[in-house]
Amino acid sequence: MNEVLKDKKPILLSGIQPSGHLALGNYVGAMRNWVQMQHDYLGIFMVVDMHAITVRQKPADLRNRCLSFAAQYLAAGVNPDDNVIFIQSHVPQHAELAWVLNCYTYLGELNRMTQFKDKSKRHDDNINAGLYSYPALMAADILLYQTDLVPVGADQKQHLELTRDIANRFNNTYSPTFKVPEPFIPKAGARIMSLQDIDKKMSKSDKNENNYISLLDPPDVLRRKIKRAVTDSAREITAESLTQPGIGNLLSIFAVLNELQPTEVVSRFEGQQYSGFKGELADSLVAFLEPFQDRYDKIMGDKSYLTSVLDEGAKRARYMASKTMSKVYRKIGFVPVGRS
Ligand code: ATP
Ligand code: LTN
């Protein structure tokens, strides 16, 4: 079909929901690894808008955010010529396979999902069926493309395990149909914590903006958020700081941004005041995010380029997904179109 699809590289796939503001946790836990691994794999990177509507979204915001998130994938360094970048709802096979997989997912399994429990608590006025069966849609996202590896943060491990169980169940009921994917959870930065509620993970749709670093925060906001980040009363960095909530999180962010081991960061700052370290962390963040934001502004200034990347991505994705879908329908006994 086209050059990218002739490529026989293994498949790397991941997605982010267009809710809130893309945050440092999303970059460190997920996007950074997409960029680093994209040369050895065919990358499939989605903006998962169908997942995002499990929580109420304002239509105009959702539309803007889908484009903005795709532009941030590109600004982070995902190469659209060698990878497939698209918006989930542009590929109808996601909904089709999700329905089928819903019929191979048990209520007992869905009841155990911690993301469902957390989100039901946060949105107790809208505990809808989509929020509940969300893992079947996520399994469809992954299994449609015969994915080998799924780079995600630690919070997604449970969904990945369920995806593997569903794939094995389907394969054992019929015959091998889906590749059983492996998760890739980074050793460093798999769970960046909130800046104020230091025992909660950093979340891009947190109501309190001071809890997360948005990838689009201007330098003065970045500096202010780091300065105000909650730490313990110790004041000085020691060997124990890495295991302390608050300061430990900030040290690990510094490590990831500067490609250092956390212990190297501790040796560098040992004996120094938290405030001095926070200043250097803010400098690192600004140095990393300023060029990112310049690239983002350029991409957002050229909507026709962005739309063409997403259209091309969706076309490639539909082609790949249609192959798996016809296999699935044949195996479960659906009559092929045109032969009824
Ligand atoms: P929301 O608050 O809108 O539910 P979120 O911040 O949890 O969103 P998701 O869209 O659910 O983000 O996740 C996108 C990717 O970012 C996933 O791979 C997820 O594991 C990763 N991720 C999310 N939060 C963190 C975090 N704090 N640390 C590391 N990785 C994270
Ligand atoms: N469920 C994930 C987002 C997501 C995803 C995917 C991640 C949807 N489909 C496929 C990896 C692969 C989340 O809430 N972070």
Side-chain angles (χ1 to χ4, degrees), residues 110-301:
L110 295 176
N111 286 335
R112 285 199 290 275
M113 296 295 118
T114 53
Q115 183 167 310
F116 171 69
K117 292 184 207 165
D118 290 349
K119 291 217 169 168
S120 313
K121 265 191 219 138
R122 272 200 269 160
H123 305 277
D124 58 359
D125 54 338
N126 179 23
I127 306 178
N128 60 71
L131 191 63
Y132 185 63
S133 64
Y134 176 117
L137 177 59
M138 177 161 165
D141 298 341
I142 297 169
L143 300 180
L144 262 181
Y145 301 96
Q146 307 297 339
T147 301
D148 292 275
L149 198 63
V150 185
V152 282
D155 62 314
Q156 294 303 309
K157 188 162 177 262
Q158 199 184 29
H159 285 159
L160 250 298
E161 278 161 6
L162 180 56
T163 299
R164 289 168 56 85
D165 289 346
I166 296 171
N168 281 319
R169 185 171 303 143
F170 193 98
N171 289 346
N172 293 335
T173 307
Y174 304 100
S175 56
T177 308
F178 298 121
K179 175 80 86 30
V180 182
E182 295 288 335
F184 175 87
I185 297 171
K187 283 202 186 73
R191 190 171 165 85
I192 299 292
M193 305 306 280
S194 156
L195 299 181
Q196 301 288 323
D197 296 337
I198 54 179
D199 50 353
K200 267 188 10 195
K201 86 168 179 104
M202 182 180 284
S203 163
K204 67 176 149 49
S205 29
D206 200 308
K207 285 203 181 74
N208 178 0
E209 291 189 353
N210 289 321
N211 269 335
Y212 59 86
I213 300 282
S214 159
L215 299 183
L216 299 178
D217 277 340
D220 57 325
V221 175
L222 291 171
R223 291 187 192 283
R224 195 188 62 227
K225 285 184 178 176
I226 294 295
K227 198 166 173 189
R228 289 193 189 161
V230 170
T231 48
D232 51 88
S233 53
R235 309 206 152 272
E236 213 174 77
I237 293 180
T238 66
E240 280 73 54
S241 302
L242 265 184
T243 54
Q244 299 298 319
I247 191 68
N249 187 44
L250 299 181
L251 287 164
S252 58
I253 293 176
F254 189 95
V256 175
L257 288 178
N258 293 284
E259 313 258 346
L260 294 169
Q261 292 301 320
T263 46
E264 293 176 298
V265 181
V266 171
S267 328
R268 176 152 155 198
F269 290 102
E270 204 160 359
Q272 294 192 33
Q273 300 283 304
Y274 286 177
S275 55
F277 163 70
K278 280 182 163 182
E280 291 213 29
L281 174 59
D283 289 343
S284 293
L285 266 174
V286 171
F288 163 64
L289 286 176
E290 266 187 340
F292 169 87
Q293 292 170 6
D294 287 345
R295 291 192 293 274
Y296 170 78
D297 289 339
K298 278 208 192 80
I299 297 162
M300 285 303 274

Side-chain angles (χ1 to χ4, degrees), residues 50 88 91-100 102 137 140-141 144:
M50 292 164 65
Q88 185 186 30
V91 181
Q93 286 89 351
H94 288 256
E96 293 180 44
L97 185 59
W99 174 254
V100 173
N102 261 310
L137 177 59
D141 298 341
L144 262 181

